[in-house]
Amino acid sequence: MENDLIPKIGLEIHLELNTETKLFCSCKNDPYETEPNKNICEICTGQPGVLPVLNKKAVVYAISLAKALNMAINYQSRFARKHYFYPDLPKNYQISQYDQPLGENGFLELIREDLRKIIRIRRIHLEEDTGRNIHFGNYSFVDFNRAGVPLIEIVTEPDIRSSYEAEVFCEELVLLIRYLGISEADAEKGQIRFEANISLAPKEELGTKVEIKNINSIRSLVEAIDYEIERQKKLILNGERIIQETRGFDDVKKSTFSQRWKEEEADYRYFPEPDLPPLIINEEIEKEIILIETPSQIKKRFEKEYGLEIKVINTLVKDKFLVHFFEESFSELYELTKNFEETKKLVVNYLVNDLIGLQEKLRIKIDENKLTPHQFAHLLFSLYKGKISSKIVKEALETALTKGLDLEKFLSEKEMISDAEILNKIIEKIINENPEAVNDYLKGTEEAFEYLIGKIMKETKGRADPNLTRFLLQDKLKNASR
């Protein structure tokens, strides 16, 4: 029976938006503010008689995310009051959306080496954030700086079957949000928070749902899901009943704990927000919607157009700049080489294995002020033409990241000398300066030949084409023996 118990996991994710002001007032939305209760006013602290005014930018951001999640947009939606009491909820209700959210019935496609799956998104809606409780010993304080900050709530269907799938989903969602530029989605700063609804039942049936609230990181989400699956499994196998409840997660003990009986929708006493008219999406808002090629779309295109491995693609797609850098440098190098496979091999090897690795080692982010795709492509073309070695390419990349790179000057100093006329003049100079070594070679001492090669390399600062240099030196020494 244990193997028949399949986890069904749905996520509710709260995302703080990086608008300049709060959702219903002109107070500054500043997640970095450390002075308590600085960014507050009559509206976000719920004073009697005040009226909310909706932040247009928050609406634009929410619709942009809904479109990126392949959702149907409700061009007319409305806000509702969700009633509950907490010390950090000054109005004793939260302005949210209920039966008419902004977006419905979308999906996010997960593409990894070991996972390809579509997770359905039930809805996304706008709502205001609460304040924050701060506890010191026997005292509790309330900071309302966060009260009224615009939130998007994203609700999935129970399509997730493991903590790993939940982890990948959240990582891909955060990546999409950052591509859109609507939030940093930094869990450590409280800009994104997670809740998991978990049930176990045979096949595709839904069991009794338990909700785990206020999880502050993807790592903690994974640990909470794993613990809760095992907890519910033990109860079911022992013939005990799962209670529908709300639980918290203890980051220290790595376990969930009961908080309260799970509220039903009726407990919140939703009703339409009387101080806000219906939200109608007009042409003015539509013009501002952010439309992008999503990370999932880029992954599928890179597979098809470039034939890249998913592991390589995922490394590139983690950073929007790297996607641009790859495509620009690939395009320029291909124009020079006219060889698709060699171009792909060179760009992938030196971008993914060397440049990204160097970026992580030095903790210096790549940008076009340090190295442009044009410079990168021409550096690799010099390698392709045999003018520089792999070692010189790596030296150039480190120079670019740490000091900046004058590519033309660098190549003039580093490119191999492969002009026979120039090399012959240098070889003649070395022969004339080292008669003893020449005589030793002519008497059969092979080490003398390597000595002369070393002298030539020193003279050219290692830039002499080694194969051509050996051929020309042997030819010169043969003539000298006649």
Side-chain angles (χ1 to χ4, degrees):
M1 180 180 175
E2 181 176 350
N3 294 332
D4 295 332
L5 294 173
I6 300 170
K8 286 87 179 180
I9 304 162
L11 299 177
E12 296 176 19
I13 298 167
H14 293 84
L15 173 72
E16 287 186 0
L17 301 177
N18 63 0
T19 54
E20 291 182 14
T21 57
K22 295 184 181 181
L23 187 56
F24 296 116
C25 67
S26 59
C27 288
K28 191 176 180 182
N29 174 15
D30 183 4
Y32 301 102
E33 180 56 63
T34 56
E35 182 183 336
N37 297 310
K38 182 179 180 182
N39 299 323
I40 61 174
C41 70
E42 296 88 347
I43 294 173
C44 57
T45 55
Q47 304 301 312
V50 297
L51 292 173
V53 177
L54 182 59
N55 184 329
K56 182 177 131 184
K57 182 63 75 175
V59 175
V60 169
Y61 282 178
I63 296 171
S64 299
L65 180 58
K67 282 188 172 289
L69 289 171
N70 311 287
M71 305 191 85
I73 306 300
N74 289 323
Y75 283 83
Q76 179 169 320
S77 62
R78 68 176 303 132
F79 287 91
R81 289 188 180 182
K82 180 182 181 182
H83 291 81
Y84 59 98
F85 171 77
Y86 283 111
D88 57 1
L89 190 66
K91 296 191 292 284
N92 289 336
Y93 65 84
Q94 179 187 35
I95 301 179
S96 182
Q97 290 185 307
Y98 176 48
D99 56 335
Q100 291 179 294
L102 267 176
E104 296 180 280
N105 303 321
F107 65 88
L108 178 63
E109 190 169 2
L110 311 183
I111 303 174
R112 294 286 176 93
E113 294 169 82
D114 54 354
L115 177 65
R116 291 201 177 225
K117 185 170 183 175
I118 287 175
I119 304 297
R120 293 172 297 156
I121 314 291
R122 182 181 299 169
R123 58 184 278 151
I124 74 168
H125 63 259
L126 270 172
E127 63 186 25
E128 60 182 339
D129 208 345
T130 62
R132 187 166 64 101
N133 291 317
I134 304 165
H135 306 288
F136 291 99
N138 295 325
Y139 296 92
S140 290
F141 301 89
V142 183
D143 178 8
F144 288 122
N145 279 338
R146 199 176 69 184
V149 165
L151 285 181
I152 293 176
E153 182 170 353
I154 303 129
V155 182
T156 79
E157 297 290 353
D159 292 344
I160 297 167
R161 295 290 174 266
S162 68
S163 62
Y164 175 64
E165 288 186 10
E167 179 181 27
V168 173
F169 175 86
C170 292
E171 288 174 350
E172 293 299 313
L173 179 65
V174 166
L175 185 63
L176 174 61
I177 289 162
R178 289 174 179 168
Y179 265 56
L180 286 165
I182 62 176
S183 174
E184 292 176 26
D186 189 330
E188 288 186 7
K189 298 172 185 171
Q191 294 168 343
I192 188 165
R193 305 189 290 276
F194 309 94
E195 295 173 2
N197 294 298
I198 304 167
S199 72
L200 267 67
K203 299 180 181 178
E204 293 305 306
E205 299 170 26
L206 293 174
T208 302
K209 179 177 67 175
V210 172
E211 182 178 24
I212 308 173
K213 298 280 279 186
N214 297 323
I215 303 169
N216 296 320
S217 70
I218 296 175
R219 177 187 55 79
S220 293
L221 176 68
V222 168
E223 292 170 343
I225 289 172
D226 284 338
Y227 178 87
E228 187 59 23
I229 288 173
E230 288 305 310
R231 187 189 74 86
Q232 291 188 28
K233 189 181 291 184
K234 287 176 184 176
L235 289 174
I236 293 169
L237 293 176
N238 289 333
E240 298 179 52
R241 187 168 65 90
I242 304 295
I243 299 170
Q244 183 168 332
E245 61 179 336
T246 297
R247 298 177 72 86
F249 178 69
D250 188 318
D251 273 304
V252 177
K253 295 179 180 177
K254 311 297 181 189
S255 61
T256 65
F257 57 91
S258 182
Q259 290 183 318
R260 61 184 181 272
W261 296 99
K262 179 76 180 87
E263 295 97 337
E264 301 293 340
E265 286 183 352
D267 296 326
Y268 291 120
R269 294 183 292 114
Y270 281 101
F271 67 77
E273 169 56 63
D275 293 335
L276 287 168
L279 172 56
I280 297 171
I281 310 305
N282 56 26
E283 287 185 11
E284 183 184 350
I285 290 175
E286 283 200 280
K287 285 177 185 175
E288 294 186 33
I289 292 170
I290 305 161
L291 300 174
I292 61 166
E293 184 180 24
T294 67
S296 296
Q297 290 168 339
I298 293 170
K299 288 180 186 184
K300 289 193 283 189
R301 181 168 64 81
F302 273 28
E303 267 191 308
K304 184 178 179 181
E305 288 186 12
Y306 299 104
L308 297 178
E309 296 177 2
I310 284 296
K311 183 178 180 181
V312 170
I313 294 171
N314 276 312
T315 300
L316 294 172
V317 175
K318 279 180 184 176
D319 187 331
K320 198 174 182 179
F321 174 75
L322 290 176
V323 171
H324 157 77
F325 195 94
F326 171 83
E327 294 214 85
E328 290 294 314
S329 53
F330 185 100
S331 175
E332 188 150 355
L333 183 57
Y334 179 62
E335 283 298 311
L336 296 168
T337 66
K338 303 299 181 186
N339 185 323
F340 185 90
E341 288 302 320
E342 277 300 309
T343 297
K344 179 171 75 172
K345 181 180 174 183
L346 285 168
V347 175
V348 168
N349 188 35
Y350 287 95
L351 176 56
V352 176
N353 297 337
D354 288 291
L355 191 53
I356 294 175
L358 198 58
Q359 172 185 255
E360 292 170 356
K361 177 186 172 184
L362 300 175
R363 296 183 181 179
I364 300 174
K365 193 168 177 61
I366 304 164
D367 64 53
E368 291 199 28
N369 293 322
K370 296 184 177 77
L371 182 69
T372 66
H374 170 83
Q375 289 175 318
F376 188 61
H378 281 266
L379 181 67
L380 295 184
F381 186 60
S382 288
L383 175 66
Y384 176 78
K385 296 293 285 183
K387 293 181 178 181
I388 57 174
S389 66
S390 177
K391 181 182 177 183
I392 297 299
V393 173
K394 293 175 183 181
E395 183 185 332
L397 296 180
E398 185 162 355
T399 300
L401 286 185
T402 55
K403 304 173 187 174
L405 181 67
D406 182 336
L407 184 65
E408 191 174 338
K409 182 182 177 187
F410 182 88
L411 291 179
S412 71
E413 294 172 353
K414 300 290 184 178
E415 278 187 348
M416 288 183 188
I417 301 169
S418 52
D419 185 309
E421 187 176 341
I422 295 171
L423 283 175
N424 271 324
K425 288 179 181 178
I426 295 168
I427 290 168
E428 285 172 7
K429 177 176 181 288
I430 296 300
I431 287 174
N432 291 334
E433 290 176 353
N434 296 274
E436 287 184 22
V438 172
N439 288 330
D440 287 345
Y441 173 75
L442 295 176
K443 291 175 183 176
T445 306
E446 285 296 325
E447 289 83 354
F449 184 82
E450 298 302 326
Y451 175 82
L452 292 169
I453 288 289
K455 287 289 185 182
I456 295 165
M457 287 300 176
K458 185 176 181 181
E459 181 73 18
T460 60
K461 296 180 180 177
R463 293 171 54 213
D465 182 315
N467 293 328
L468 182 57
T469 299
R470 299 182 84 84
F471 173 78
L472 293 175
L473 178 60
Q474 284 176 337
D475 188 59
K476 287 281 184 188
L477 292 173
K478 278 182 188 176
N479 291 333
S481 66
R482 289 173 186 168

